[in-house]
Amino acid sequence: MRVVNTADILAIESLKADERTLLGLFKELRKHSELSAYLPEVCHLSLRWVRLLERQPLRPRALLGKGMIVVTEGSGEVIGDSPCRVQAGDVVMVPPGGLQGLVGGAPGGLSAISIHLEELDESEPRWDTPCLCAALGREDGADEASPDRAVSPVDLLVEENEVHAREFAGSPLMQLIRSERALRDDVKRRMLGALQIWSNAFQKVLCARVVFESHPGAIAIAERHLADEVGHNRRLSRMHDPRSSPSWDRGIAAASSWFIERMGSASTEERTVLVHFVIERCADVLLTAAQQIFPDSDYFATHAEVDAEHFKLGYSLLKGFPGLDLGPLRGALTEGWQMMNLICQRISDIAAGDGDAAAEMPAGGASPGELARDPRRELTAVLDGLCGGVM
């Protein structure tokens, strides 16, 4: 593992396209010989923002490919194979298989960007974008993606999905997770309880998708996704005592029922957007950030790794559909994010202990008459039976 400080990189003072345009402090990482040799020309790129308070750890874990940590604020210590002190401006290069972990330093902890780089064969089709550093490193300034080149409907949908994801990153729940208040035991207990309600419901969403899917390729992906996620709600329940938490919440139940119902009424393409774009992208943002307040649990670390892969499955499936109609898919995307924001708002309210945020109700507390009058609850009851082995 090597640490390079950005103070050792020459600054770029103006843009070549317009020498009159002065920049602030702008440094190209490839202008440093070690960093240039380390960065792949083409790669899968995964970026995660990390905020650690003083003495708060992010436990080490082995990387499959290369990794980098860019410390943007504060100071702390890299822990793992080669412990060392780091401060704002440091770029840490972590080799494949290396153990990467962090601890916030005194007095204010640290903020950093964690980067995972997976090298690719340039002939291999890619689901994500090439590393930005590789694009900036081109000497000829050629732009392979010219303005005249048509952008696929799926890629337009991905861009729109990222807008929703960035908005969610600033939501009340994400603000709570990033605050010192989230480290309190009572807040963590309530947060886990609320997450449990959604986690149980998510198992039913996946079951419903398998039940209603008819497209052969989508069936295979739906079954694989369910196999990957099966029992994860049980793993979550082992982190807390479900008996001390609400077992039902009106907001989470309503939004969860909406997702379950849409698995039956939506098209294959819309189901793919709801599950792989909306739910998995939201989970990636949420559970990656939650690692900082639950550093000793592998539940959040596991999801941080698999959620991106599940997004890729949906992307690849949609790419195989010719002539996609963006209108209904954009509608499903917007509605799905609205429902996930509702769920996460309720989780935030419950975790923060805001008055009557949660109404307690034992499992199976609804009467048969109530189920008969509410088709969504009736469908949920049927899925309870279908998913009996999952729950």
Side-chain angles (χ1 to χ4, degrees):
M1 184 175 67
R2 280 278 294 133
V3 178
V4 172
N5 192 274
T6 50
D8 298 327
I9 304 174
L10 292 177
I12 300 173
E13 297 179 353
S14 64
L15 297 173
K16 290 182 179 180
D18 184 356
E19 293 294 343
R20 295 170 300 174
T21 303
L22 299 180
L23 300 174
L25 188 58
F26 190 94
K27 299 194 173 188
E28 167 54 64
L29 297 188
R30 284 191 181 273
K31 296 300 182 182
H32 190 279
S33 58
E34 283 189 75
L35 289 172
S36 179
Y38 182 78
L39 290 167
E41 288 298 324
V42 180
C43 66
H44 283 322
L45 176 63
S46 174
L47 298 173
R48 292 183 171 92
W49 182 81
V50 180
R51 171 61 183 159
L52 298 175
L53 303 177
E54 181 179 343
R55 294 192 298 276
Q56 185 179 6
L58 180 63
R59 65 186 180 85
R61 56 194 179 103
L63 299 181
L64 296 179
K66 293 180 178 180
M68 295 175 64
I69 301 172
V70 181
V71 183
T72 58
E73 182 182 2
S75 64
E77 183 178 357
V78 174
I79 54 178
D81 292 336
S82 304
C84 65
R85 294 286 300 174
V86 290
Q87 60 185 359
D90 282 343
V91 180
V92 184
M93 295 176 281
V94 184
L99 288 175
Q100 172 186 315
L102 285 172
V103 176
L110 65 78
S111 297
I113 298 174
S114 175
I115 305 172
H116 295 179
L117 305 165
E118 180 184 349
E119 295 189 59
L120 298 175
D121 184 328
E122 291 196 46
S123 63
E124 176 185 334
R126 302 195 302 275
W127 69 273
D128 55 0
T129 55
C131 177
L132 178 60
C133 296
L136 292 175
R138 294 173 58 86
E139 294 296 329
D140 56 8
D143 184 4
E144 294 179 355
S146 65
D148 297 330
R149 182 178 176 182
V151 181
S152 74
V154 180
D155 290 324
L156 288 173
L157 205 61
V158 169
E159 291 179 7
E160 190 166 332
N161 196 51
E162 287 307 299
V163 172
H164 288 290
R166 286 193 294 272
E167 291 177 352
F168 173 70
S171 67
L173 177 58
M174 296 303 298
Q175 292 179 39
L176 175 62
I177 288 175
R178 292 192 294 266
S179 70
E180 293 190 29
R181 187 181 181 186
L183 298 175
R184 287 170 32 185
D185 289 341
D186 62 324
V187 173
K188 291 195 291 185
R189 173 179 55 78
R190 290 192 296 265
M191 185 179 298
L192 289 175
L195 283 171
Q196 186 72 60
I197 301 172
W198 164 243
S199 182
N200 292 340
F202 181 49
Q203 298 283 311
K204 299 187 183 75
V205 174
L206 295 177
C207 284
R209 185 189 182 196
V210 171
V211 169
F212 290 110
E213 193 53 79
S214 58
H215 183 277
I219 291 173
I221 287 177
E223 291 177 343
R224 173 181 169 181
H225 193 184
L226 177 59
D228 287 347
E229 299 277 2
V230 67
H232 280 202
N233 56 330
R234 289 202 198 101
R235 293 178 61 184
L236 179 60
S237 69
R238 288 195 289 268
M239 294 177 58
H240 66 109
D241 182 4
R243 295 170 300 179
S244 65
S245 304
S247 59
W248 185 84
D249 173 76
R250 60 187 179 274
I252 299 176
S256 301
S257 295
W258 182 88
F259 278 106
I260 294 171
E261 187 275 332
R262 288 294 282 150
M263 291 302 102
S265 63
S267 66
T268 289
E269 295 90 337
E270 290 168 340
R271 278 191 287 265
T272 302
V273 167
L274 290 172
V275 172
H276 293 277
F277 281 46
V278 177
I279 296 178
E280 290 296 344
R281 188 67 182 96
C282 180
D284 187 30
V285 175
L286 171 60
L287 300 183
T288 297
Q291 290 181 84
Q292 68 176 339
I293 57 177
F294 300 102
D296 298 326
S297 168
D298 63 351
Y299 174 84
F300 296 97
T302 298
H303 273 273
E305 294 176 0
V306 301
D307 287 340
E309 181 64 25
H310 290 156
F311 172 82
K312 179 180 176 181
L313 288 175
Y315 178 92
S316 300
L317 179 63
L318 285 183
K319 274 286 192 179
F321 286 102
L324 283 176
D325 185 355
L326 266 182
L329 299 187
R330 293 183 67 190
L333 190 78
T334 300
E335 292 174 3
W337 274 103
Q338 287 175 350
M339 301 309 285
M340 282 308 305
N341 280 319
L342 172 60
I343 289 171
C344 291
Q345 180 62 63
R346 297 296 292 173
I347 293 173
S348 177
D349 291 343
I350 293 170
D354 291 346
D356 298 327
E360 294 193 22
M361 185 176 189
S367 68
E370 289 175 313
L371 291 176
R373 291 192 298 270
D374 189 336
R376 291 184 178 179
R377 283 194 177 183
E378 186 175 19
L379 176 58
T380 301
V382 172
L383 289 166
D384 274 335
L386 291 173
C387 301
V390 176
M391 296 300 290

